[in-house]
Amino acid sequence: MGLRNVEYMIQEAFTGIRRNGIMAFASVTTIALSLGVLGTFALLALAANRFVLSRVNQFEIAVFIEGKTLADIEPVLKQIRSISGVVEMNVRDRKKEWEAFKRDRPDFESAGVPLDVLPFAVDVKVSDPGRIAQIASKIRLIKGVDRVNESKELVDRILAVLRVVKVLSIAGVLVLLGTTALIISNAIRLTLYARRLEIKIMQLVGATNQFIRLPLVIEGVVLGAVGAVLAWFFLTLGGRYVALMAEKIVFLGRISSGVGRAELACGLIFVGAMIGAAGSFVSIRRFLHD
Amino acid sequence: MIRFDNVSVEYPNGVRALNDVSIHIAKGEFAFVVGPTGSGKSTLLKLIYREVTPTRGRVLFDGEDIGALKANQVPYLRRKLGIVFQDFKLLPQKNVWENLAFAMRVIGRHPRDIRRRISEVLNLVGLTKRCDAFPHQMSGGEQQRAAIARALVNHPTVLLADEPTGNLDPDTSWEIMQLLEQINTHGTTVLVATHDSQIVDRMRKRVIQLEAGYVVRDQEKGAYQHSTLTEDLCCGA
């Protein structure tokens, strides 16, 4: 196929969009809406994933070390720091701990127990929540460590939840992707139906299927991409609003899907264009076989 | 050029449109296919442009079995055919010139050839001055001329016309028929399905008469009805 014909097909695709303005508008709107729903779901799933992960990261190993002053526990801290996988350590404020303890056990205070009876509590952050148990057992072996609290069950449960969230979101995205493809191919079928005379004439004068199909597939790609840009616009606006709302809800904190604006645009346009092309291709097949 | 060998067509709904049809249409011939609605005229034409394939028998075009063509070869068969319909099938949002250009463009013809060829055929059908009119701005006769021009634009060897005058008044019908005859004198084989008895009687061409899917008459210089009386009257007139 010559360059002249390719040029003609691209030209035909845009002429087609212009001449069938209302149908093109309907298709773009449908594509934008379906991609918007798909994108919202995918972004929420990603945000949920990240949110759960960030919670897991906050589950650190609590290490209790005996000692009267910070200097006493320094050698132990050094050893913990040298274990691979340990990212950060935080010695808790003993006064605050004491206040909290007193609230729980008023009997201790009345008995005149001094502050330094409490061990130092150190929060150890690890790089990978899956390695908590392994690192905890290493810390346990260090001399001077009184007790290690790894909250293993909680971590396991959260990891299990994370797995479920992952599976559900992948399944959800797949189902929505399928539905979006169906809706879009239906919208394109309507635009084709409006042009069945044109297609019929092309067939009767001996246009090859490729010659009939390509401009329409290009049209599908363009409509898909335009729909995707609209969806991107609304998702970006909506995303900013949701993030603002989330920050107001204290326990949620900063929430983000971790997907950049450019990445989101590229992803949506790619999906929109692919679905547009596939939708056209499938719908035209039916017409060509009539 | 076109040969039907014992062709039968049965549609999926059980209707038998054609029964054991055997005819031959020679190169350069002008023939009418006549018969009442539902007698199989359209099916006979559809077999030639491969809209329908025979249930039994063979349809040969230049010795090639049309029914055995692969789907991707059908467009190349159709480029040898020009097809005209009762309802014109012009694209309403394109003007005459664009309608013709479209038919050439979609088979990949060069814009230079398109310009030259369109002015040729518009001249032939007498629509040179109406080339920028849209279908809704034209009379039925003009629209059919435009449709014939489109059918001719790709140099077909055969022109198939399915009830080309079905929507036209008698005078206009006659003009269209004369145009088809003129095209025939240039060497194009013309096959016209019609139930317009006046035209058939006046033209005195070969008549293939169908009845319930059977060829009941195939007569050179025939009339619409097979009756010596009619023939005599016409010849006497």
Side-chain angles (χ1 to χ4, degrees), chain B residues 71-225:
Chain B
N72 62 5
Q73 293 173 309
V74 173
Y76 300 97
L77 163 75
R78 290 187 179 164
R79 289 178 194 190
K80 298 180 208 161
L81 308 169
I83 311 169
V84 177
F85 297 93
Q86 179 176 358
D87 59 357
F88 320 130
K89 294 202 196 298
L90 296 168
L91 292 172
Q93 72 274 43
K94 283 178 163 42
N95 66 30
V96 173
W97 202 93
E98 289 166 338
N99 262 288
L100 302 192
F102 179 76
M104 294 182 79
R105 206 62 194 82
V106 296
I107 63 166
R109 300 289 291 272
H110 195 283
R112 194 178 343 105
D113 302 336
I114 293 178
R115 275 191 295 278
R116 198 183 48 225
R117 179 61 182 160
I118 289 179
S119 59
E120 267 171 32
V121 286
L122 283 180
N123 189 36
L124 176 69
V125 302
L127 277 184
T128 308
K129 284 183 183 151
R130 299 288 276 149
C131 70
D132 51 7
F134 285 87
H136 65 91
Q137 299 168 325
M138 300 194 295
S139 69
E142 285 176 323
Q143 290 187 56
Q144 193 57 294
R145 281 170 188 276
I148 292 170
R150 182 182 60 197
L152 292 177
V153 89
N154 290 321
H155 300 280
T157 50
V158 176
L159 186 69
L160 303 173
D162 195 354
E163 303 278 6
T165 59
N167 280 347
L168 305 175
D169 63 74
D171 287 344
T172 314
S173 298
W174 182 239
E175 284 171 24
I176 292 295
M177 277 304 152
Q178 285 185 310
L179 176 59
L180 292 180
E181 192 175 22
Q182 188 193 340
I183 291 161
N184 176 241
T185 56
H186 284 77
T188 309
T189 310
V190 177
L191 195 57
V192 181
T194 184
H195 52 223
D196 188 335
S197 55
Q198 280 187 319
I199 292 240
V200 178
D201 290 344
R202 218 168 142 186
M203 296 275 287
R204 289 288 147 180
K205 299 287 184 186
R206 178 180 173 190
V207 172
I208 299 161
Q209 188 181 345
L210 291 174
E211 207 114 355
Y214 290 94
V215 175
V216 294
R217 177 167 61 110
D218 187 351
Q219 186 183 15
E220 291 299 328
K221 297 190 176 160
Y224 192 85
Q225 295 291 334

Side-chain angles (χ1 to χ4, degrees), chain A residues 104-264:
Chain A
D104 281 355
R105 304 285 300 270
D107 48 324
F108 267 70
E109 197 196 11
S110 53
V113 179
L115 174 94
D116 51 14
V117 138
L118 272 188
F120 277 96
V122 182
D123 294 322
V124 178
K125 272 193 182 166
V126 297
S127 56
D128 172 11
R131 286 178 64 189
I132 284 182
Q134 182 209 341
I135 291 169
S137 61
K138 274 190 188 160
I139 295 174
R140 219 172 260 127
L141 295 176
I142 298 169
K143 198 167 168 264
V145 171
D146 176 33
R147 204 153 46 85
V148 175
N149 196 348
E150 54 183 291
S151 60
K152 186 175 181 310
E153 275 169 34
L154 198 56
V155 170
D156 282 352
R157 207 175 302 159
I158 284 176
L159 286 175
V161 168
L162 200 62
R163 264 194 297 276
V164 173
V165 167
K166 237 179 214 165
V167 168
L168 281 183
S169 46
I170 288 173
V173 165
L174 284 180
V175 167
L176 275 174
L177 205 63
T179 327
T180 311
L182 260 181
I183 292 172
I184 290 174
S185 96
N186 255 324
I188 289 171
R189 192 170 306 158
L190 283 178
T191 72
L192 290 183
Y193 185 74
R195 294 163 67 177
R196 60 196 182 286
L197 177 63
E198 208 170 309
I199 294 170
K200 185 84 222 163
I201 291 167
M202 290 172 94
Q203 288 182 309
L204 288 175
V205 299
T208 55
N209 283 353
Q210 185 171 271
F211 223 104
I212 300 173
R213 192 186 292 129
L214 264 172
L216 295 165
V217 170
I218 295 173
E219 215 176 302
V221 169
V222 173
L223 294 181
V226 173
V229 170
L230 280 181
W232 172 79
F233 183 70
F234 291 119
L235 278 178
T236 314
L237 278 186
R240 203 178 291 170
Y241 179 73
V242 169
L244 277 177
M245 293 310 285
E247 261 175 70
K248 283 187 186 151
I249 303 169
V250 183
F251 78 94
L252 283 178
R254 274 193 70 84
I255 196 165
S256 149
S257 59
V259 179
R261 232 182 277 177
E263 283 174 281
L264 180 64

